[in-house]
PDB file of all heavy atoms in Angstrom:
ATOM      1  N   ILE A 205      41.340  10.345 -33.764  1.00 96.00           N
ATOM      2  CA  ILE A 205      42.134  10.407 -34.945  1.00 96.00           C
ATOM      3  C   ILE A 205      42.301  11.646 -35.523  1.00 96.00           C
ATOM      4  O   ILE A 205      43.369  11.925 -35.954  1.00 96.00           O
ATOM      5  CB  ILE A 205      41.529   9.410 -36.032  1.00 96.00           C
ATOM      6  CG1 ILE A 205      41.614   7.876 -35.605  1.00 96.00           C
ATOM      7  CG2 ILE A 205      42.147   9.605 -37.376  1.00 96.00           C
ATOM      8  CD1 ILE A 205      40.796   6.933 -36.516  1.00 96.00           C
ATOM      9  N   ARG A 206      41.309  12.551 -35.330  1.00 95.00           N
ATOM     10  CA  ARG A 206      41.376  13.968 -35.850  1.00 95.00           C
ATOM     11  C   ARG A 206      42.420  14.714 -35.098  1.00 95.00           C
ATOM     12  O   ARG A 206      42.909  15.784 -35.623  1.00 95.00           O
ATOM     13  CB  ARG A 206      40.022  14.631 -35.825  1.00 95.00           C
ATOM     14  CG  ARG A 206      38.986  14.055 -36.870  1.00 95.00           C
ATOM     15  CD  ARG A 206      37.559  14.575 -36.556  1.00 95.00           C
ATOM     16  NE  ARG A 206      37.216  14.181 -35.213  1.00 95.00           N
ATOM     17  CZ  ARG A 206      36.085  14.297 -34.754  1.00 95.00           C
ATOM     18  NH1 ARG A 206      35.124  14.950 -35.351  1.00 95.00           N
ATOM     19  NH2 ARG A 206      35.832  14.032 -33.470  1.00 95.00           N
ATOM     20  N   ASP A 207      42.761  14.320 -33.870  1.00 96.00           N
ATOM     21  CA  ASP A 207      43.687  15.070 -33.113  1.00 96.00           C
ATOM     22  C   ASP A 207      45.181  14.618 -33.231  1.00 96.00           C
ATOM     23  O   ASP A 207      46.109  15.101 -32.565  1.00 96.00           O
ATOM     24  CB  ASP A 207      43.249  15.040 -31.682  1.00 96.00           C
ATOM     25  CG  ASP A 207      41.850  15.660 -31.328  1.00 96.00           C
ATOM     26  OD1 ASP A 207      41.553  16.721 -32.109  1.00 96.00           O
ATOM     27  OD2 ASP A 207      41.155  15.162 -30.397  1.00 96.00           O
ATOM     28  N   ILE A 208      45.324  13.663 -34.076  1.00 97.00           N
ATOM     29  CA  ILE A 208      46.721  13.147 -34.256  1.00 97.00           C
ATOM     30  C   ILE A 208      47.469  14.033 -35.383  1.00 97.00           C
ATOM     31  O   ILE A 208      47.133  13.723 -36.628  1.00 97.00           O
ATOM     32  CB  ILE A 208      46.780  11.645 -34.560  1.00 97.00           C
ATOM     33  CG1 ILE A 208      46.150  10.765 -33.535  1.00 97.00           C
ATOM     34  CG2 ILE A 208      48.115  11.277 -34.947  1.00 97.00           C
ATOM     35  CD1 ILE A 208      46.046   9.375 -33.797  1.00 97.00           C
ATOM     36  N   THR A 209      48.277  14.940 -34.940  1.00 96.00           N
ATOM     37  CA  THR A 209      48.702  15.917 -35.848  1.00 96.00           C
ATOM     38  C   THR A 209      50.065  15.458 -36.319  1.00 96.00           C
ATOM     39  O   THR A 209      50.820  14.585 -35.560  1.00 96.00           O
ATOM     40  CB  THR A 209      48.994  17.261 -35.140  1.00 96.00           C
ATOM     41  OG1 THR A 209      49.866  17.062 -33.959  1.00 96.00           O
ATOM     42  CG2 THR A 209      47.589  17.804 -34.649  1.00 96.00           C
ATOM     43  N   PRO A 210      50.671  16.077 -37.342  1.00 96.00           N
ATOM     44  CA  PRO A 210      52.080  15.697 -37.752  1.00 96.00           C
ATOM     45  C   PRO A 210      53.057  16.061 -36.649  1.00 96.00           C
ATOM     46  O   PRO A 210      53.980  15.197 -36.391  1.00 96.00           O
ATOM     47  CB  PRO A 210      52.321  16.653 -38.903  1.00 96.00           C
ATOM     48  CG  PRO A 210      50.947  16.827 -39.503  1.00 96.00           C
ATOM     49  CD  PRO A 210      50.050  16.888 -38.344  1.00 96.00           C
ATOM     50  N   ALA A 211      52.860  17.037 -35.708  1.00 97.00           N
ATOM     51  CA  ALA A 211      53.699  17.395 -34.640  1.00 97.00           C
ATOM     52  C   ALA A 211      53.663  16.304 -33.600  1.00 97.00           C
ATOM     53  O   ALA A 211      54.722  15.892 -33.006  1.00 97.00           O
ATOM     54  CB  ALA A 211      53.281  18.750 -34.058  1.00 97.00           C
ATOM     55  N   ALA A 212      52.406  15.683 -33.380  1.00 97.00           N
ATOM     56  CA  ALA A 212      52.264  14.690 -32.423  1.00 97.00           C
ATOM     57  C   ALA A 212      53.003  13.391 -32.801  1.00 97.00           C
ATOM     58  O   ALA A 212      53.651  12.754 -32.108  1.00 97.00           O
ATOM     59  CB  ALA A 212      50.885  14.485 -32.117  1.00 97.00           C
ATOM     60  N   VAL A 213      53.002  13.159 -34.101  1.00 97.00           N
ATOM     61  CA  VAL A 213      53.515  11.878 -34.683  1.00 97.00           C
ATOM     62  C   VAL A 213      55.112  12.115 -34.687  1.00 97.00           C
ATOM     63  O   VAL A 213      55.852  11.220 -34.267  1.00 97.00           O
ATOM     64  CB  VAL A 213      53.047  11.595 -36.134  1.00 97.00           C
ATOM     65  CG1 VAL A 213      53.896  10.555 -36.878  1.00 97.00           C
ATOM     66  CG2 VAL A 213      51.615  11.282 -36.152  1.00 97.00           C
ATOM     67  N   ALA A 214      55.622  13.377 -34.879  1.00 97.00           N
ATOM     68  CA  ALA A 214      56.964  13.572 -34.980  1.00 97.00           C
ATOM     69  C   ALA A 214      57.591  13.393 -33.525  1.00 97.00           C
ATOM     70  O   ALA A 214      58.647  12.752 -33.193  1.00 97.00           O
ATOM     71  CB  ALA A 214      57.303  14.945 -35.371  1.00 97.00           C
ATOM     72  N   THR A 215      56.774  13.791 -32.535  1.00 96.00           N
ATOM     73  CA  THR A 215      57.199  13.775 -31.140  1.00 96.00           C
ATOM     74  C   THR A 215      57.286  12.368 -30.762  1.00 96.00           C
ATOM     75  O   THR A 215      58.184  11.764 -30.054  1.00 96.00           O
ATOM     76  CB  THR A 215      56.274  14.602 -30.220  1.00 96.00           C
ATOM     77  OG1 THR A 215      56.349  15.922 -30.422  1.00 96.00           O
ATOM     78  CG2 THR A 215      56.709  14.351 -28.696  1.00 96.00           C
ATOM     79  N   TRP A 216      56.163  11.562 -31.096  1.00 97.00           N
ATOM     80  CA  TRP A 216      56.124  10.122 -30.754  1.00 97.00           C
ATOM     81  C   TRP A 216      57.238   9.425 -31.408  1.00 97.00           C
ATOM     82  O   TRP A 216      57.919   8.656 -30.865  1.00 97.00           O
ATOM     83  CB  TRP A 216      54.708   9.621 -31.195  1.00 97.00           C
ATOM     84  CG  TRP A 216      54.728   8.075 -31.394  1.00 97.00           C
ATOM     85  CD1 TRP A 216      54.510   7.248 -30.461  1.00 97.00           C
ATOM     86  CD2 TRP A 216      54.836   7.300 -32.687  1.00 97.00           C
ATOM     87  NE1 TRP A 216      54.477   5.922 -30.909  1.00 97.00           N
ATOM     88  CE2 TRP A 216      54.792   5.955 -32.177  1.00 97.00           C
ATOM     89  CE3 TRP A 216      55.080   7.616 -33.948  1.00 97.00           C
ATOM     90  CZ2 TRP A 216      54.899   5.002 -33.164  1.00 97.00           C
ATOM     91  CZ3 TRP A 216      55.115   6.656 -34.905  1.00 97.00           C
ATOM     92  CH2 TRP A 216      55.198   5.279 -34.443  1.00 97.00           C
ATOM     93  N   TYR A 217      57.509   9.705 -32.550  1.00 96.00           N
ATOM     94  CA  TYR A 217      58.450   8.920 -33.481  1.00 96.00           C
ATOM     95  C   TYR A 217      59.912   9.194 -32.834  1.00 96.00           C
ATOM     96  O   TYR A 217      60.744   8.258 -32.805  1.00 96.00           O
ATOM     97  CB  TYR A 217      58.517   9.488 -34.890  1.00 96.00           C
ATOM     98  CG  TYR A 217      59.553   8.759 -35.912  1.00 96.00           C
ATOM     99  CD1 TYR A 217      59.155   7.561 -36.323  1.00 96.00           C
ATOM    100  CD2 TYR A 217      60.633   9.351 -36.200  1.00 96.00           C
ATOM    101  CE1 TYR A 217      60.090   6.826 -37.225  1.00 96.00           C
ATOM    102  CE2 TYR A 217      61.626   8.642 -37.034  1.00 96.00           C
ATOM    103  CZ  TYR A 217      61.400   7.448 -37.492  1.00 96.00           C
ATOM    104  OH  TYR A 217      62.200   6.818 -38.271  1.00 96.00           O
ATOM    105  N   SER A 218      60.170  10.379 -32.321  1.00 94.00           N
ATOM    106  CA  SER A 218      61.519  10.735 -31.886  1.00 94.00           C
ATOM    107  C   SER A 218      61.807   9.926 -30.533  1.00 94.00           C
ATOM    108  O   SER A 218      62.881   9.622 -30.243  1.00 94.00           O
ATOM    109  CB  SER A 218      61.645  12.121 -31.512  1.00 94.00           C
ATOM    110  OG  SER A 218      60.921  12.573 -30.434  1.00 94.00           O
ATOM    111  N   GLY A 219      60.698   9.534 -29.822  1.00 93.00           N
ATOM    112  CA  GLY A 219      60.947   8.805 -28.550  1.00 93.00           C
ATOM    113  C   GLY A 219      60.592   7.378 -28.674  1.00 93.00           C
ATOM    114  O   GLY A 219      60.762   6.602 -27.578  1.00 93.00           O
ATOM    115  N   THR A 220      60.154   6.811 -29.763  1.00 93.00           N
ATOM    116  CA  THR A 220      59.717   5.509 -30.005  1.00 93.00           C
ATOM    117  C   THR A 220      60.894   4.535 -30.440  1.00 93.00           C
ATOM    118  O   THR A 220      61.389   4.895 -31.400  1.00 93.00           O
ATOM    119  CB  THR A 220      58.453   5.268 -30.906  1.00 93.00           C
ATOM    120  OG1 THR A 220      57.481   6.048 -30.349  1.00 93.00           O
ATOM    121  CG2 THR A 220      58.022   3.893 -31.068  1.00 93.00           C
ATOM    122  N   ALA A 221      61.070   3.540 -29.708  1.00 91.00           N
ATOM    123  CA  ALA A 221      62.088   2.512 -30.257  1.00 91.00           C
ATOM    124  C   ALA A 221      63.392   3.047 -30.673  1.00 91.00           C
ATOM    125  O   ALA A 221      63.907   2.601 -31.701  1.00 91.00           O
ATOM    126  CB  ALA A 221      61.365   1.576 -31.177  1.00 91.00           C
ATOM    127  N   ALA A 222      63.872   3.980 -29.903  1.00 87.00           N
ATOM    128  CA  ALA A 222      65.100   4.808 -30.292  1.00 87.00           C
ATOM    129  C   ALA A 222      66.220   3.807 -30.609  1.00 87.00           C
ATOM    130  O   ALA A 222      67.088   4.155 -31.418  1.00 87.00           O
ATOM    131  CB  ALA A 222      65.419   5.932 -29.349  1.00 87.00           C
TER     132      ALA A 222
END
Side-chain angles (χ1 to χ4, degrees):
I205 292 171
R206 294 171 296 190
D207 295 333
I208 299 175
T209 63
V213 172
T215 299
W216 164 79
Y217 185 82
S218 70
T220 298

